[in-house]
Amino acid sequence: MVLKLWVGISQADNVFQSLRPLTYISLVGLAPFRLNLNADKEVHTSTYSFIAGIVHYLFFVGCFISSIREGDSIIGYFFQTNITKLSDSTLRLTGIIAMSTIFGFAMFRRQKLVSIIQNNIVVDEIFVRLGMKLDYRRILLFSFLISLGMVIFNVIYLCVSFSLLISATISPSFVTFMAFALPHINISLMVFKFLCTTHLAQSRFSMVNEILQDILDAHIEQNAALELSPMHSAVNHQRCAHRLRNMISTPMQRYSVTSIIRQNPDYAMKQVSNIHNLLCDICQTIEEYFTYPLLGIIAISFLFILFDDFYILEAMMNPKRLDYFEADEFFAFFLIQMIWYIVIIFLIVEASSKTIRHSSYSAAIVHKILNITDDLELRDRLFRLSLQLSHRKVSFTAAGLFRLDRTLIFTITGAATCYLIILIQFRSMHETQSATNATNNM
């Protein structure tokens, strides 16, 4: 019974079925679309999900305002200083801005997400004309694994966080803990959407590279066959035969490639140019849809990492602020919170970097084909595609302020270190002034 259920769930023959995990979060309003799998197989906006998103956001705002009125905060349960009060206010402000941005773009720019899916459908139709088909089951399993990982990750994090608070004899109110937990859940859902959409583009860029690689291999085999003709010397004959044997003995792993691509490479290159143009449009739409939500997520992640570091250093440098029995829970709580936000940034960076890397492979293969082909018509197509690749490069930014690639990790590390030193110096100056005032009063 379980095996049959798993087989039914894991089957995917089209883009609609491969996106099933993404539609599940429409229940909370962060993916306001539905897939009509039975009739016209189209993507539609969902009124129900739109309403669910508004209710979800209002619930978060209600918990947020109630926690402020009660004067409760997670850091306030441990200790209160001027810096912690400032950081708590800053985190609350950035938290409400980030949540407003996430829900605003999810609900009022939902058509962008719909167009991403529709353009992927058009790309898949072009692949079919070339005799190729994506491995939709692999995309579905990727989405399932990511969604399952996100659920387990957040459940463990929130349960451990609540247990640490209880262990430290801290009993947060319902609204305070919900105001703490909901941003983590919604950030995870938005990152999950980003991972799914970038993986759709990434898998199709890989297919484009497979087409180009097949054309390249066809020309290599053709040139090798010409070099194996009787007019060439025995040395060239042995060298080329050895090269051909190596190509046969170590075949590259590929998707299914039919003879259409090799029989008519000019037609294939024309379709590749069209596909690449559509994929660049998809990536541009992904950036437009996620740019401000990701900016808010990275901003709040940076602040949490910075202040969590400071809280831990503050407790280490002044252990009297904490009770002995609360110290372990304090360090564990803020350490796992910092790790949570580091993981979020890492997922965003890796998703965008991997997509950019797969899109950049095409240029190298195109120029390899240019170096060995003598077909004038094909060379003309390749030159056009080369210009297109140079002018339409895939990139992801956060509102144009910084690039979402691995350099972001270095930038965040450097900035966090710099501001952490400033906070420590500010704390030392404040303690020195307090000690001086106390001495003068005596």
Side-chain angles (χ1 to χ4, degrees):
M1 183 66 181
V2 176
L3 182 60
K4 289 183 179 180
L5 181 62
W6 168 249
V7 171
I9 293 176
S10 62
Q11 291 300 319
D13 296 325
N14 52 59
V15 66
F16 300 98
Q17 294 178 356
S18 66
L19 291 175
R20 283 200 300 264
L22 189 59
T23 60
Y24 296 157
I25 60 176
S26 63
L27 299 175
V28 294
L30 285 179
F33 65 88
R34 57 186 174 87
L35 303 176
N36 192 342
L37 302 179
N38 298 323
D40 51 0
K41 288 189 177 182
E42 291 184 355
V43 187
H44 305 278
T45 57
S46 173
T47 305
Y48 164 78
S49 185
F50 182 78
I51 297 173
I54 295 176
V55 172
H56 186 178
Y57 178 70
L58 292 177
F59 176 71
F60 166 72
V61 172
C63 294
F64 182 82
I65 295 174
S66 298
S67 65
I68 293 177
R69 286 180 177 177
E70 294 177 1
D72 290 340
S73 67
I74 298 299
I75 182 60
Y77 288 133
F78 288 99
F79 61 82
Q80 290 280 359
T81 64
N82 291 332
I83 294 180
T84 57
K85 291 178 181 179
L86 175 63
S87 65
D88 196 26
S89 301
T90 303
L91 292 174
R92 281 180 169 178
L93 178 61
T94 54
I96 191 66
I97 292 175
M99 292 303 101
S100 300
T101 304
I102 288 173
F103 279 97
F105 273 71
M107 291 184 290
F108 297 105
R109 303 194 70 177
R110 59 191 184 278
Q111 193 59 41
K112 293 281 186 183
L113 187 61
V114 172
S115 65
I116 291 171
I117 301 172
Q118 290 175 339
N119 284 336
N120 276 283
I121 296 171
V122 175
V123 170
D124 292 351
E125 291 175 351
I126 299 176
F127 279 129
V128 171
R129 290 202 293 267
L130 291 173
M132 304 181 69
K133 184 178 180 180
L134 275 115
D135 189 354
Y136 293 109
R137 187 172 181 270
R138 186 176 181 180
I139 298 174
L140 175 64
L141 292 177
F142 171 85
S143 301
F144 266 125
L145 289 176
I146 292 296
S147 60
L148 182 62
M150 283 289 191
V151 170
I152 295 174
F153 180 57
N154 281 280
V155 168
I156 293 175
Y157 169 70
L158 294 176
C159 289
V160 171
S161 298
F162 187 78
S163 300
L164 289 172
L165 292 174
I166 297 299
S167 178
T169 65
I170 296 172
S171 299
S173 63
F174 174 77
V175 293
T176 301
F177 191 76
M178 291 306 297
F180 164 77
L182 284 176
H184 293 85
I185 296 172
N186 295 325
I187 286 173
S188 299
L189 293 176
M190 182 58 72
V191 172
F192 171 67
K193 287 167 60 177
F194 182 70
L195 294 177
C196 287
T197 51
T198 51
H199 186 259
L200 291 176
Q202 174 196 319
S203 59
R204 285 154 181 81
F205 274 121
S206 297
M207 290 282 284
V208 170
N209 295 333
E210 294 295 336
I211 296 174
L212 294 173
Q213 186 65 47
D214 192 65
I215 296 174
L216 175 62
D217 290 347
H219 281 79
I220 292 175
E221 292 171 7
Q222 183 180 2
N223 292 341
L226 290 175
E227 291 181 4
L228 286 172
S229 61
M231 292 187 301
H232 290 78
S233 64
V235 176
N236 286 336
H237 181 87
Q238 293 177 357
R239 185 177 67 249
C240 295
H242 179 68
R243 186 194 311 166
L244 191 58
R245 282 195 301 270
N246 287 338
M247 289 190 298
I248 296 173
S249 61
T250 58
M252 294 186 62
Q253 293 183 351
R254 300 201 174 101
Y255 298 95
S256 58
V257 180
T258 63
S259 59
I260 297 176
I261 297 170
R262 296 197 175 198
Q263 290 178 355
N264 196 346
D266 180 61
Y267 172 77
M269 291 304 305
K270 181 179 179 181
Q271 297 302 324
V272 164
S273 300
N274 190 16
I275 291 171
H276 182 268
N277 189 52
L278 286 171
L279 289 177
C280 289
D281 290 339
I282 290 170
C283 292
Q284 184 177 353
T285 308
I286 291 174
E287 182 182 5
E288 292 173 357
Y289 181 78
F290 288 99
T291 182
Y292 287 104
L294 290 183
L295 176 62
I297 290 171
I298 292 172
I300 195 173
S301 299
F302 171 76
L303 290 175
F304 267 100
I305 292 171
L306 173 63
F307 286 118
D308 287 344
D309 277 331
F310 175 75
Y311 296 153
I312 294 173
L313 290 175
E314 171 79 4
M316 291 176 65
M317 291 185 294
N318 194 357
K320 293 181 180 180
R321 295 190 184 276
L322 296 173
D323 294 335
Y324 174 75
F325 295 103
E326 296 179 1
D328 293 338
E329 289 82 358
F330 176 87
F331 289 125
F333 179 85
F334 287 104
L335 181 61
I336 63 172
Q337 182 173 257
M338 182 175 62
I339 293 173
W340 190 92
Y341 282 102
I342 291 174
V343 170
I344 289 297
I345 291 178
F346 177 79
L347 291 175
I348 294 172
V349 167
E350 281 303 305
S352 58
S353 297
K354 201 169 183 179
T355 305
I356 294 170
R357 188 166 63 252
H358 277 75
S359 67
S360 64
Y361 291 158
S362 302
I365 303 175
V366 165
H367 285 87
K368 286 180 181 179
I369 302 173
L370 273 171
N371 290 333
I372 63 175
T373 185
D374 295 325
D375 190 335
L376 296 179
E377 192 171 357
L378 180 59
R379 289 180 66 86
D380 180 62
R381 291 284 183 190
L382 290 168
F383 276 121
R384 294 182 188 180
L385 180 57
S386 177
L387 288 173
Q388 181 174 315
L389 291 171
S390 62
H391 288 91
R392 298 212 66 184
K393 293 183 178 180
V394 175
S395 65
F396 298 100
T397 65
L401 298 177
F402 48 83
R403 296 172 65 89
L404 299 177
D405 53 23
R406 291 182 177 177
T407 59
L408 179 62
I409 297 176
F410 178 79
T411 303
I412 290 176
T413 303
T417 303
C418 178
Y419 285 113
L420 187 60
I421 294 172
I422 293 173
L423 286 173
I424 293 173
Q425 290 176 342
F426 179 80
R427 171 191 173 278
S428 300
M429 290 174 59
H430 179 72
E431 288 189 349
T432 302
Q433 290 177 357
S434 299
T436 303
N437 293 333
T439 303
N440 292 334
N441 292 333
M442 293 176 61

